[in-house]
Amino acid sequence: MFRNKSGEFSWVDFTIDVLRVLIVLAVVVGAWNTLSSGRISLAQWVNLLAAGLSQGSIYALIALGYTLVYGILLMINFAHGEVFMAGAFSAFFLAEALNRTGFLNEQPLLSILLMFMFAGLISMTVAVLVERIAYRPLRGSPRLVPLITAIGASFFLQYAFRGLYGSNFKAYPQVRALQGALQIGDISIPVTQIFVFCSALVLMFGLHWLVERTRIGKAMRAVSENKEVARLMGIDIDWVILFTFGVGGFLAGAAGVINGLFRPQGVNFYMGFIPGIKAFTAAVLGGIGNIPGAMLGGLFLGVIEAIGPNLVLAGLGIPGANQLKDVIAFTMLVLVLIFRPQGILGERLSETKA
Amino acid sequence: MNILASEASRRILRLGLLSGGFILFAGVIGMIAAFHEREVVDDFISLGQVLLLAAPFVTSYMAATQMLETGESPRMALAGGLVIGVLCALPTVILLLFNSDDYRYLLDTSLKLIPFVAASYLAWKSHAQGNETRQVAATWLIAALLIGIVSFGFALIFEVKGDLRGVLVNVDRDWVEVVTFDHRRELWTGIGLLLAASAGAGLAGVVMRILPDIPRRALLYGLGITLLVGAFGETVRLILQENLDRDTLREIFRRDTLRQNAAAMLFIISTLAGFLWAMFGGRAQSEFAALDDSRRQQVRNLGMLLFAALLLALPWLIGRTLSDVAVTIGIFVLMGLGLNIAIGLAGLLDLGYVTNYAVGAYILAVLTSIGPLGLFKGTFTFWMVIPIALLAAMFAGFIFAVPVLRMRGDYLAIATLGFGEIIGKLALSDWLKPLIGGAQGVQNIPKPFLFSTELKNPEQLYYIVLVASLVTLFVSIRLNNSRTGRQWMAIREDEDVATAIGIDTARAKLLAFTLSAATGGVAGAIFAAKVGTVFPNSFTVFISINVLSLIIVGGIASNPGIVVGAVVLIGMPELLREFSDFRFLMYGALLILMMINRPQGFIPSKLVMHEVHAGVKPKVSAGD
């Protein structure tokens, strides 16, 4: 410990190691206190886990967009949270219209599928436009330049959609088929959560199939490996990059609909910012550029966010621990970036990039 | 057909539609209607209408410049201006039709036609590229399906809602009023007026371009100054109010808007002045250049002296309301100069700068407040706490910097953003509520005292900000040229090389973060004393973005740029309240545009300028 590679004492390493010890200590003490007090029953833990998994699957879907883009362009598409918002916000109106005509409750599956497609396509359009207008002219410039552009795009999109659809929160209509809960013993899991988790899984498998089994997926992998060689092999790089943004956007839009159906507080123009950062956390957690990693990272983050406040913070005697959910997530972000920037599964980057 | 196919006409079509799209967008997000609230010239033209007409004017001016340079005749240029004017209005006209009760069916029809038309277009393109029939058919099917889902989705939404306004909240009566020039009821008259005005503005742009140099410049000066004074009428009136008697003021302004006579006078005077400047300005400049060095220095010193006098006398010249704005600008100048140490000098993109601001504000609040949350109830004064706030912010900067020292640039940005969010959430939490008051925050912060006078007015607080800014400016100029400053620049350019030449990068980065945090703390403390209450909603990520934008727009690493950036980006939304809803829209757009077109900023630092121009992109190797 406390020594860097060349064996000298380095106070930066020292501080970081102290931080590491403190965090482990806090987690252990907090968890021990909570578990030994037995304040939360097993059934409640399972409920928290289920809620965390469904929230996490939404993060995972958004995180895929970050990872796909990072894998190819090595840039953090900071505006991706807003792409998610664009789909969710737009599809609200479709959900409302479908509800008004009664179709939503007559044909819930078809309606939700329609909403997925609608939101996905709108998010895809937004993502593609952002790439085309804001990022493409800057390809090849130093890393911070596209990041600043992306921040600009993020705030531009937020306020553009605020201007378009207004600044109020809008709550999705209730789908009757998703009401109720699944009872297993004394554990009851809301159907919505199961639906969220399953639809996210389907989308992720869809992406996996696209990347691993199709021609364009092969092209995406080739471009992420080495752009110049891919170009020489006759791959249209611009098109592949555009496609990647589109696919990421589609997943984000679908995640937006899932989010809208899942969370009762509704959608507004700012809804994408925080989930966007969290999804980035998830992507880094799993190893950015790594597709299974992003899925895993999302689920993991969701679970930590659900369980962390109750397990650790409440155990440390902090009042109102559930308010600090976001703090847990952002602390997670910072910790991952400090201690394991390559993520759990490792970054999937070729050596030239690292 | 020949004309349509030429490069020039295609460019005109593109420019016109782009500009038209901009006008449509500005209308749909409510910008035009909001700006209409502000009259530029009384009962004559509003800022919304200026926006509506400025787009075709500027676009056709630009197009005409290009056309004349490529050797097109003025007559062609005029035709181009006309086309651009019409194209600018076209998208808005279409939306007007869609929005009207009589022609709503057009919206429905076009939403249903779009998928087929678009799919056919894409299929035709695919065919033109020489793809097989099977592929062309597949393209058509997929495109029709995908576009169809979105298109029919919108058709359904509008069908159920019954009008556009149910979805697009800003396509409302106000917008229609503005774009039809108050002819909401007679739609076609309104559309005619819009088309005519837009085409007129397009033609005017070309005419302006064709005019000989001197009258053109004179007219542009006149127009620009009149519009500026008109748009900022309220501000100008507030300034004049300090120095003119009420009757003269009433001659010039009706409430906050310029009267027509006054506007005409102003236009004539400023055009004449512009004319004189265009005639003789060049000679004055060359005469100044011909002076010998010492004389030139004298003139410059005189200028500096006048500027300093102006800065000192500013609160008396502009009155209370504007002094308040000046204090806000000053607080952002402070933060801009501070953050610039991290971003501009050391190249560390710190997105959590609000943390330091919050620390400074909360420290001052808790230490000096005489409310229930004050720890010492008035034992500590503003002046005693300022150094404490500064040190506390530096300490916070230090603490948050240590973990991020090893990170690479983009991760560092996100991690600091995370810190900012953590601080924000903690400030809101129940956990820290006993200490800093949760969402209600800390109240009853006394104003600073200077020898038993309470500095309670913005005119007086202004001097505190001014002194703080000048000190920061001095320090940052000195830093820029210091050994440490050079180390930072080396790190900014290439960290590996900096390490290799023996720079202790960890130490230098830490210093950058810590120093940059210091002014943030002071700015926060001044802010807290100014408003008298501190609560978490004042410390969001938007503060960091604000500061980042003014640095990028003004010019990275350029001190004058940052000051000007703060005056424009912070001052404008404060003075033009119609603007404030679109503040972050504008910042976002500016960040994108600046990065693409002018990464060095509007007032670039000489060094960065040099780098940008001499900067051949070195590492465009395979695999990068």
Side-chain angles (χ1 to χ4, degrees), chain B residues 280-308:
Chain B
F280 305 111
R283 221 171 80 198
Q285 272 174 339
S286 60
E287 262 171 37
F288 177 68
L291 292 174
D292 60 79
D293 277 351
S294 63
R295 293 284 294 180
R296 242 187 319 184
Q297 197 55 47
Q298 273 173 3
V299 176
R300 276 206 201 105
N301 286 344
L302 193 70
M304 290 291 282
L305 213 65
L306 280 176
F307 186 64

mmCIF file of all heavy atoms in Angstrom, chain B residues 280-308:
data_model
loop_
_atom_site.group_PDB
_atom_site.id
_atom_site.type_symbol
_atom_site.label_atom_id
_atom_site.label_comp_id
_atom_site.label_asym_id
_atom_site.label_seq_id
_atom_site.Cartn_x
_atom_site.Cartn_y
_atom_site.Cartn_z
ATOM 1 N N PHE B 280 -13.967 58.822 -42.010
ATOM 2 C CA PHE B 280 -12.707 59.295 -41.433
ATOM 3 C C PHE B 280 -12.104 58.341 -40.408
ATOM 4 O O PHE B 280 -11.006 58.561 -39.943
ATOM 5 C CB PHE B 280 -12.918 60.673 -40.784
ATOM 6 C CG PHE B 280 -13.513 61.661 -41.749
ATOM 7 C CD1 PHE B 280 -14.808 62.124 -41.579
ATOM 8 C CD2 PHE B 280 -12.778 62.086 -42.842
ATOM 9 C CE1 PHE B 280 -15.352 63.018 -42.478
ATOM 10 C CE2 PHE B 280 -13.327 62.987 -43.743
ATOM 11 C CZ PHE B 280 -14.617 63.452 -43.575
ATOM 12 N N GLY B 281 -12.862 57.283 -40.064
ATOM 13 C CA GLY B 281 -12.373 56.374 -39.033
ATOM 14 C C GLY B 281 -11.070 55.715 -39.431
ATOM 15 O O GLY B 281 -10.135 55.604 -38.638
ATOM 16 N N GLY B 282 -11.017 55.329 -40.682
ATOM 17 C CA GLY B 282 -9.810 54.673 -41.164
ATOM 18 C C GLY B 282 -8.594 55.585 -41.020
ATOM 19 O O GLY B 282 -7.523 55.157 -40.609
ATOM 20 N N ARG B 283 -8.832 56.906 -41.312
ATOM 21 C CA ARG B 283 -7.712 57.838 -41.227
ATOM 22 C C ARG B 283 -7.254 58.001 -39.784
ATOM 23 O O ARG B 283 -6.065 58.014 -39.497
ATOM 24 C CB ARG B 283 -8.117 59.195 -41.813
ATOM 25 C CG ARG B 283 -6.993 59.785 -42.638
ATOM 26 C CD ARG B 283 -7.458 60.992 -43.394
ATOM 27 N NE ARG B 283 -7.500 62.170 -42.553
ATOM 28 C CZ ARG B 283 -8.187 63.279 -42.866
ATOM 29 N NH1 ARG B 283 -8.904 63.311 -43.973
ATOM 30 N NH2 ARG B 283 -8.167 64.322 -42.084
ATOM 31 N N ALA B 284 -8.253 58.055 -38.869
ATOM 32 C CA ALA B 284 -7.907 58.199 -37.456
ATOM 33 C C ALA B 284 -7.068 57.010 -37.007
ATOM 34 O O ALA B 284 -6.058 57.163 -36.308
ATOM 35 C CB ALA B 284 -9.178 58.283 -36.609
ATOM 36 N N GLN B 285 -7.475 55.842 -37.463
ATOM 37 C CA GLN B 285 -6.736 54.650 -37.056
ATOM 38 C C GLN B 285 -5.314 54.681 -37.594
ATOM 39 O O GLN B 285 -4.359 54.370 -36.879
ATOM 40 C CB GLN B 285 -7.450 53.396 -37.551
ATOM 41 C CG GLN B 285 -8.493 52.909 -36.576
ATOM 42 C CD GLN B 285 -9.290 51.756 -37.115
ATOM 43 O OE1 GLN B 285 -9.349 51.538 -38.329
ATOM 44 N NE2 GLN B 285 -9.902 51.016 -36.232
ATOM 45 N N SER B 286 -5.192 55.081 -38.859
ATOM 46 C CA SER B 286 -3.842 55.052 -39.432
ATOM 47 C C SER B 286 -2.974 56.130 -38.806
ATOM 48 O O SER B 286 -1.767 55.946 -38.611
ATOM 49 C CB SER B 286 -3.902 55.208 -40.954
ATOM 50 O OG SER B 286 -4.507 56.433 -41.272
ATOM 51 N N GLU B 287 -3.623 57.267 -38.428
ATOM 52 C CA GLU B 287 -2.851 58.297 -37.755
ATOM 53 C C GLU B 287 -2.371 57.816 -36.398
ATOM 54 O O GLU B 287 -1.235 58.076 -36.000
ATOM 55 C CB GLU B 287 -3.680 59.574 -37.587
ATOM 56 C CG GLU B 287 -3.389 60.593 -38.661
ATOM 57 C CD GLU B 287 -4.360 61.741 -38.619
ATOM 58 O OE1 GLU B 287 -4.755 62.144 -37.501
ATOM 59 O OE2 GLU B 287 -4.753 62.220 -39.698
ATOM 60 N N PHE B 288 -3.277 57.066 -35.718
ATOM 61 C CA PHE B 288 -2.897 56.522 -34.414
ATOM 62 C C PHE B 288 -1.732 55.545 -34.573
ATOM 63 O O PHE B 288 -0.766 55.566 -33.811
ATOM 64 C CB PHE B 288 -4.097 55.813 -33.781
ATOM 65 C CG PHE B 288 -3.785 55.152 -32.474
ATOM 66 C CD1 PHE B 288 -3.485 55.922 -31.354
ATOM 67 C CD2 PHE B 288 -3.797 53.767 -32.355
ATOM 68 C CE1 PHE B 288 -3.201 55.323 -30.147
ATOM 69 C CE2 PHE B 288 -3.509 53.172 -31.148
ATOM 70 C CZ PHE B 288 -3.213 53.948 -30.040
ATOM 71 N N ALA B 289 -1.795 54.754 -35.634
ATOM 72 C CA ALA B 289 -0.728 53.785 -35.862
ATOM 73 C C ALA B 289 0.578 54.489 -36.203
ATOM 74 O O ALA B 289 1.667 53.973 -35.949
ATOM 75 C CB ALA B 289 -1.123 52.824 -36.982
ATOM 76 N N ALA B 290 0.459 55.707 -36.804
ATOM 77 C CA ALA B 290 1.669 56.421 -37.213
ATOM 78 C C ALA B 290 2.366 57.117 -36.054
ATOM 79 O O ALA B 290 3.518 57.513 -36.166
ATOM 80 C CB ALA B 290 1.312 57.441 -38.290
ATOM 81 N N LEU B 291 1.638 57.276 -34.931
ATOM 82 C CA LEU B 291 2.266 57.927 -33.767
ATOM 83 C C LEU B 291 3.437 57.095 -33.275
ATOM 84 O O LEU B 291 3.469 55.873 -33.451
ATOM 85 C CB LEU B 291 1.243 58.063 -32.632
ATOM 86 C CG LEU B 291 0.090 59.035 -32.848
ATOM 87 C CD1 LEU B 291 -0.875 58.920 -31.691
ATOM 88 C CD2 LEU B 291 0.618 60.444 -32.973
ATOM 89 N N ASP B 292 4.396 57.771 -32.596
ATOM 90 C CA ASP B 292 5.486 56.946 -32.077
ATOM 91 C C ASP B 292 5.052 56.278 -30.781
ATOM 92 O O ASP B 292 4.016 56.597 -30.198
ATOM 93 C CB ASP B 292 6.751 57.787 -31.888
ATOM 94 C CG ASP B 292 6.542 58.921 -30.931
ATOM 95 O OD1 ASP B 292 6.552 58.673 -29.726
ATOM 96 O OD2 ASP B 292 6.319 60.056 -31.434
ATOM 97 N N ASP B 293 5.845 55.335 -30.348
ATOM 98 C CA ASP B 293 5.422 54.422 -29.289
ATOM 99 C C ASP B 293 4.983 55.126 -28.019
ATOM 100 O O ASP B 293 3.969 54.785 -27.438
ATOM 101 C CB ASP B 293 6.561 53.447 -28.962
ATOM 102 C CG ASP B 293 6.558 52.290 -29.929
ATOM 103 O OD1 ASP B 293 5.573 52.203 -30.696
ATOM 104 O OD2 ASP B 293 7.517 51.500 -29.923
ATOM 105 N N SER B 294 5.763 56.110 -27.595
ATOM 106 C CA SER B 294 5.462 56.732 -26.308
ATOM 107 C C SER B 294 4.126 57.467 -26.385
ATOM 108 O O SER B 294 3.323 57.423 -25.460
ATOM 109 C CB SER B 294 6.578 57.684 -25.906
ATOM 110 O OG SER B 294 6.671 58.725 -26.850
ATOM 111 N N ARG B 295 3.863 58.143 -27.517
ATOM 112 C CA ARG B 295 2.599 58.853 -27.673
ATOM 113 C C ARG B 295 1.428 57.863 -27.652
ATOM 114 O O ARG B 295 0.410 58.093 -27.025
ATOM 115 C CB ARG B 295 2.583 59.612 -29.015
ATOM 116 C CG ARG B 295 3.559 60.755 -29.095
ATOM 117 C CD ARG B 295 3.068 61.941 -28.323
ATOM 118 N NE ARG B 295 1.851 62.522 -28.910
ATOM 119 C CZ ARG B 295 1.223 63.575 -28.417
ATOM 120 N NH1 ARG B 295 1.682 64.147 -27.316
ATOM 121 N NH2 ARG B 295 0.160 64.058 -29.004
ATOM 122 N N ARG B 296 1.637 56.766 -28.362
ATOM 123 C CA ARG B 296 0.582 55.759 -28.418
ATOM 124 C C ARG B 296 0.267 55.238 -27.017
ATOM 125 O O ARG B 296 -0.873 55.062 -26.639
ATOM 126 C CB ARG B 296 1.007 54.611 -29.328
ATOM 127 C CG ARG B 296 0.063 54.498 -30.502
ATOM 128 C CD ARG B 296 0.324 53.315 -31.325
ATOM 129 N NE ARG B 296 1.758 53.094 -31.515
ATOM 130 C CZ ARG B 296 2.206 52.128 -32.295
ATOM 131 N NH1 ARG B 296 1.374 51.365 -32.932
ATOM 132 N NH2 ARG B 296 3.486 51.936 -32.439
ATOM 133 N N GLN B 297 1.360 55.029 -26.275
ATOM 134 C CA GLN B 297 1.192 54.544 -24.912
ATOM 135 C C GLN B 297 0.391 55.558 -24.093
ATOM 136 O O GLN B 297 -0.483 55.191 -23.320
ATOM 137 C CB GLN B 297 2.571 54.301 -24.279
ATOM 138 C CG GLN B 297 2.509 53.426 -23.038
ATOM 139 C CD GLN B 297 1.820 52.096 -23.309
ATOM 140 O OE1 GLN B 297 2.113 51.433 -24.298
ATOM 141 N NE2 GLN B 297 0.864 51.737 -22.478
ATOM 142 N N GLN B 298 0.691 56.860 -24.349
ATOM 143 C CA GLN B 298 -0.037 57.905 -23.626
ATOM 144 C C GLN B 298 -1.533 57.825 -23.910
ATOM 145 O O GLN B 298 -2.355 57.892 -23.008
ATOM 146 C CB GLN B 298 0.490 59.277 -24.015
ATOM 147 C CG GLN B 298 1.682 59.709 -23.173
ATOM 148 C CD GLN B 298 2.289 60.992 -23.703
ATOM 149 O OE1 GLN B 298 1.781 61.584 -24.654
ATOM 150 N NE2 GLN B 298 3.378 61.415 -23.093
ATOM 151 N N VAL B 299 -1.840 57.676 -25.203
ATOM 152 C CA VAL B 299 -3.256 57.596 -25.580
ATOM 153 C C VAL B 299 -3.902 56.399 -24.902
ATOM 154 O O VAL B 299 -5.004 56.477 -24.343
ATOM 155 C CB VAL B 299 -3.400 57.503 -27.109
ATOM 156 C CG1 VAL B 299 -4.860 57.320 -27.489
ATOM 157 C CG2 VAL B 299 -2.839 58.744 -27.766
ATOM 158 N N ARG B 300 -3.167 55.291 -24.922
ATOM 159 C CA ARG B 300 -3.713 54.077 -24.292
ATOM 160 C C ARG B 300 -3.933 54.295 -22.808
ATOM 161 O O ARG B 300 -4.960 53.914 -22.258
ATOM 162 C CB ARG B 300 -2.763 52.912 -24.511
ATOM 163 C CG ARG B 300 -2.992 52.255 -25.853
ATOM 164 C CD ARG B 300 -2.561 50.822 -25.863
ATOM 165 N NE ARG B 300 -2.349 50.419 -27.255
ATOM 166 C CZ ARG B 300 -1.157 50.266 -27.803
ATOM 167 N NH1 ARG B 300 -0.074 50.418 -27.074
ATOM 168 N NH2 ARG B 300 -1.049 49.930 -29.055
ATOM 169 N N ASN B 301 -2.944 54.924 -22.152
ATOM 170 C CA ASN B 301 -3.074 55.169 -20.718
ATOM 171 C C ASN B 301 -4.288 56.042 -20.425
ATOM 172 O O ASN B 301 -5.014 55.788 -19.470
ATOM 173 C CB ASN B 301 -1.816 55.858 -20.181
ATOM 174 C CG ASN B 301 -0.668 54.874 -20.092
ATOM 175 O OD1 ASN B 301 -0.891 53.670 -20.135
ATOM 176 N ND2 ASN B 301 0.542 55.392 -19.988
ATOM 177 N N LEU B 302 -4.463 57.050 -21.269
ATOM 178 C CA LEU B 302 -5.622 57.915 -21.103
ATOM 179 C C LEU B 302 -6.904 57.085 -21.179
ATOM 180 O O LEU B 302 -7.821 57.233 -20.364
ATOM 181 C CB LEU B 302 -5.609 58.989 -22.191
ATOM 182 C CG LEU B 302 -6.587 60.143 -21.953
ATOM 183 C CD1 LEU B 302 -6.102 60.995 -20.794
ATOM 184 C CD2 LEU B 302 -6.752 60.967 -23.213
ATOM 185 N N GLY B 303 -6.941 56.194 -22.171
ATOM 186 C CA GLY B 303 -8.103 55.315 -22.313
ATOM 187 C C GLY B 303 -8.327 54.493 -21.060
ATOM 188 O O GLY B 303 -9.443 54.402 -20.549
ATOM 189 N N MET B 304 -7.249 53.910 -20.549
ATOM 190 C CA MET B 304 -7.352 53.092 -19.350
ATOM 191 C C MET B 304 -7.876 53.907 -18.174
ATOM 192 O O MET B 304 -8.715 53.449 -17.400
ATOM 193 C CB MET B 304 -5.979 52.513 -18.965
ATOM 194 C CG MET B 304 -5.452 51.459 -19.909
ATOM 195 S SD MET B 304 -6.424 49.963 -19.819
ATOM 196 C CE MET B 304 -5.754 49.280 -18.295
ATOM 197 N N LEU B 305 -7.363 55.143 -18.082
ATOM 198 C CA LEU B 305 -7.766 56.017 -16.988
ATOM 199 C C LEU B 305 -9.261 56.306 -17.055
ATOM 200 O O LEU B 305 -9.977 56.230 -16.057
ATOM 201 C CB LEU B 305 -6.971 57.325 -17.087
ATOM 202 C CG LEU B 305 -6.625 57.984 -15.759
ATOM 203 C CD1 LEU B 305 -5.690 57.092 -14.969
ATOM 204 C CD2 LEU B 305 -5.994 59.344 -16.009
ATOM 205 N N LEU B 306 -9.716 56.615 -18.276
ATOM 206 C CA LEU B 306 -11.141 56.892 -18.460
ATOM 207 C C LEU B 306 -11.968 55.670 -18.071
ATOM 208 O O LEU B 306 -12.996 55.765 -17.406
ATOM 209 C CB LEU B 306 -11.413 57.265 -19.925
ATOM 210 C CG LEU B 306 -11.089 58.696 -20.301
ATOM 211 C CD1 LEU B 306 -11.301 58.910 -21.786
ATOM 212 C CD2 LEU B 306 -11.974 59.647 -19.500
ATOM 213 N N PHE B 307 -11.470 54.510 -18.483
ATOM 214 C CA PHE B 307 -12.185 53.271 -18.198
ATOM 215 C C PHE B 307 -12.267 53.034 -16.692
ATOM 216 O O PHE B 307 -13.323 52.682 -16.153
ATOM 217 C CB PHE B 307 -11.481 52.107 -18.881
ATOM 218 C CG PHE B 307 -12.219 50.813 -18.775
ATOM 219 C CD1 PHE B 307 -13.471 50.659 -19.359
ATOM 220 C CD2 PHE B 307 -11.674 49.755 -18.083
ATOM 221 C CE1 PHE B 307 -14.153 49.473 -19.244
ATOM 222 C CE2 PHE B 307 -12.345 48.566 -17.966
ATOM 223 C CZ PHE B 307 -13.596 48.420 -18.551
ATOM 224 N N ALA B 308 -11.142 53.294 -16.002
ATOM 225 C CA ALA B 308 -11.118 53.106 -14.554
ATOM 226 C C ALA B 308 -12.091 54.068 -13.886
ATOM 227 O O ALA B 308 -12.844 53.678 -12.976
ATOM 228 C CB ALA B 308 -9.703 53.333 -14.026
#
